[in-house]
Amino acid sequence: MTKLSQHWQRKLDTSSKPAYLFLADLIADDIRTGRLTARDQLPTLRDLAVDLRLNYTTVARGYAEARKRGLIDSRSGTGSFIRGSSPALPLRGGSGAEMTMNLPPEPQDAGLLGRMHESAARVMADSDLWDLLRYQDFGGSVRDREAGMQWLRPRVPDCRLDQMLVCPGIHSVLAAVFSQLARPGELICVEALTYPGVKAISTQLGIQLHALQLDEEGPMGDAFEHACKTLKPKALYVNPTLNNPTTATISRARREALADIALRYAIPIIEDDAYAMIPRQVPPTFASLAPDLTYYITGFSKTLGAGLRNAYVRSPNARQSQRLAGALRATTVMASPITNALATLWVEDGTADEMLVAVRNESNARQALAVKHLADHGINGSDQQTEGFHLWLPLTSAWSTVEFASYLRSQNVGVVASAAFSTDGAPPDAVRICLGGPMSREECDQALRLVADTLTHPLHPHATVT
């Protein structure tokens, strides 16, 4: 009998807990105290059963429980080993490394934070507080809409005041536009992998989504044209820049082809460009290629912070803008005047641009960490939009996407399985990982190291031990 077996036998003799569960506890305790370290080989099931005077099945269940907890690897022909050295991340306010919600990183730049605080204080000091607490006309004041036009100008230079609305978040705009363009039972074309909020909105409104297959350039033009001929869709929805979840940006040639098809069949385009301001260079917008058909939507939730619930929508014309304002007024009443005032000042005084640069730079640094840890697993700088803050990670190991996401959640690292984004019922083996939010760069590095270690040493939490 080994010293390890002797130690475990003494502990088991004094425990009233089921032996298979207590065996997993013993392994965990020995890892924590350093008695066992990464890559240590454990006794075989048969030898340990003899040493501990337990039946074979009990020991097998104990090892299975240890695998389920992420403590060991078991492989046919090589035995069982203590897993790699990446520990579970400590919980932060109950959330751990929250990599499920796609939030921009929060740069810890003292100068930038000071400027943000100063601007926020100035808004309250210089405003008529009672005016900010009253109902206001929907769509924002003239000053708010002019700030929106200033923010959009790098992407949509041709925009008039009567086409612009200030709204309480992109999601509310999408719900209103969908309700305006399609009735229950009617159809909107979307990418085969798309923003999950669109799936929720369509379900709520009773609208059908028709998935357009993707290639390396974006939604396939032939598929869109075939749908226009045979299904008569009411709109085309696209998330063209740093697609959520795939990180892909639709090429200029594909944008031109899709816009041409939409123009020939008079199909409105809903351009959800939530990430548009992050990359330094992107192809022309659909709003530039097909201005008379396109609802161009962007905001601050994916560039500055999700709590800044301000979105801008540029409608195809003044009449469509008025109709959209009516739909939004019926569901959201108005955007918060206080939030509008802060967003407007940040655009006007350059704070928003400074925040955007800081977010972009921090995203670059985190993407570099992703390449360092995950280059052997399908992530590399040339294939990823390195100015964004999420990853699309293909799974080629023994993990299923659901098991992979579930296991990482048990280690306090949250990722999202591909099924959440699929509109064609055939999700690929992949997960989306967000690199932003309140997680520090050091915590991001630790989480990515844990993800890489999990891929390198896959577990089979539901496999039968033989």
Side-chain angles (χ1 to χ4, degrees):
M1 181 183 289
T2 65
K3 289 183 179 180
L4 181 67
S5 299
Q6 291 174 345
H7 169 69
W8 285 356
Q9 186 185 47
R10 287 195 297 270
K11 294 281 190 177
L12 280 164
D13 288 344
T14 62
S15 173
S16 60
K17 194 171 187 178
Y20 82 95
L21 290 176
F22 195 61
L23 180 56
D25 292 344
L26 289 171
I27 294 172
D29 287 341
D30 284 353
I31 292 172
R32 185 166 53 252
T33 61
R35 185 187 293 271
L36 291 172
T37 59
R39 309 294 177 252
D40 281 350
Q41 185 166 13
L42 296 173
T44 67
L45 295 173
R46 198 169 303 280
D47 288 346
L48 190 60
V50 171
D51 289 347
L52 300 181
R53 299 193 296 273
L54 297 172
N55 65 52
Y56 180 92
T57 301
T58 298
V59 176
R61 291 181 69 193
Y63 275 19
E65 177 66 23
R67 276 203 322 280
K68 184 176 180 180
R69 299 184 194 180
L71 303 173
I72 67 173
D73 283 339
S74 295
R75 303 191 181 194
S76 177
T78 59
S80 299
F81 297 82
I82 299 301
R83 262 196 109 240
S85 57
S86 297
L89 297 186
L91 290 172
R92 186 200 318 102
S95 65
E98 182 49 75
M99 304 173 99
T100 56
M101 297 300 291
N102 215 21
L103 305 170
E106 300 171 1
Q108 296 305 301
D109 180 328
L112 173 61
L113 288 168
R115 179 171 178 172
M116 291 164 63
H117 277 292
E118 187 276 328
S119 292
R122 185 150 38 99
V123 165
M124 304 309 292
D126 295 348
S127 299
D128 181 335
L129 288 180
W130 288 118
D131 186 51
L132 295 181
L133 293 174
R134 298 184 189 118
Y135 286 116
Q136 297 185 0
D137 288 340
F138 191 88
S141 66
V142 170
R143 181 183 174 188
D144 294 334
R145 286 182 285 148
E146 287 177 339
M149 292 169 60
Q150 179 181 336
W151 186 248
L152 263 61
R153 192 163 292 125
R155 299 290 183 258
V156 188
D158 182 17
C159 180
R160 303 188 309 273
L161 197 65
D162 60 7
Q163 294 174 286
M164 172 66 62
L165 294 175
V166 183
C167 310
I170 291 175
H171 193 88
S172 66
V173 179
L174 293 176
V177 175
F178 271 51
S179 71
Q180 286 288 294
L181 297 180
R183 295 178 180 177
E186 293 181 332
L187 181 145
I188 290 178
C189 289
V190 299
E191 292 144 305
L193 292 164
T194 196
Y195 167 51
V198 165
K199 297 171 65 176
I201 289 169
S202 64
T203 299
Q204 185 70 24
L205 298 176
I207 295 169
Q208 297 182 47
L209 298 181
H210 177 69
L212 301 178
Q213 294 308 303
L214 303 168
D215 62 17
E216 64 278 3
E217 293 192 71
M220 297 175 69
D222 290 346
F224 180 43
E225 182 151 22
H226 180 73
C228 292
K229 289 178 179 178
T230 60
L231 300 175
K232 311 245 184 279
K234 295 300 179 180
L236 167 66
Y237 166 85
V238 286
N239 178 204
T241 307
L242 291 176
N243 170 271
N244 179 13
T246 68
T247 76
T249 292
I250 300 176
S251 70
R252 178 183 185 126
R254 186 58 53 83
R255 293 181 189 221
E256 291 173 347
L258 293 169
D260 178 68
I261 295 166
L263 287 165
R264 286 191 280 114
Y265 291 91
I267 304 296
I269 300 171
I270 305 166
E271 186 171 11
D272 177 3
D273 226 3
Y275 304 89
M277 304 300 170
I278 299 175
R280 291 175 175 83
Q281 293 185 329
V282 295
T285 62
F286 284 90
S288 299
L289 298 170
D292 295 336
L293 289 177
T294 303
Y295 292 84
Y296 183 86
I297 307 162
T298 195
F300 296 113
S301 63
K302 301 302 185 186
T303 49
L304 306 186
L308 193 59
R309 304 304 299 167
N310 276 72
Y312 301 127
V313 54
R314 177 262 186 208
S315 298
N317 53 54
R319 180 172 175 274
Q320 296 298 338
S321 185
Q322 292 170 359
R323 290 187 66 228
L324 181 59
L328 278 157
R329 187 184 296 111
T331 55
T332 62
V333 183
M334 65 179 183
S336 165
I338 295 174
T339 309
N340 286 353
L342 180 60
T344 293
L345 180 60
W346 277 353
V347 171
E348 290 175 340
D349 71 4
T351 301
D353 286 323
E354 186 177 342
M355 292 169 68
L356 181 60
V357 170
V359 166
R360 183 185 293 138
N361 291 340
E362 184 62 30
S363 297
N364 286 338
R366 297 182 184 211
Q367 290 283 355
L369 294 176
V371 172
K372 180 180 77 171
H373 292 298
L374 298 171
D376 292 336
H377 301 285
I379 300 298
N380 59 76
S382 61
D383 291 338
Q384 295 293 325
Q385 290 281 354
T386 57
E387 291 171 327
F389 47 81
H390 65 283
L391 300 175
W392 186 238
L393 177 65
L395 297 181
T396 56
S397 71
W399 286 102
S400 75
T401 54
V402 173
E403 285 181 344
F404 183 71
S406 297
Y407 172 74
L408 287 177
R409 173 60 69 183
S410 76
Q411 302 301 297
N412 302 323
V413 175
V415 301
V416 184
S418 56
F421 310 97
S422 174
T423 58
D424 64 359
D429 293 329
V431 295
R432 188 198 69 184
I433 303 176
C434 179
L435 306 178
M439 177 173 55
S440 69
R441 192 185 300 181
E442 292 72 23
E443 289 169 326
C444 181
D445 181 66
Q446 188 178 358
L448 288 167
R449 185 182 297 112
L450 192 150
V451 171
D453 186 63
T454 302
L455 290 168
T456 302
H457 305 286
L459 301 175
H460 302 274
H462 304 300
T464 302
V465 178
T466 58

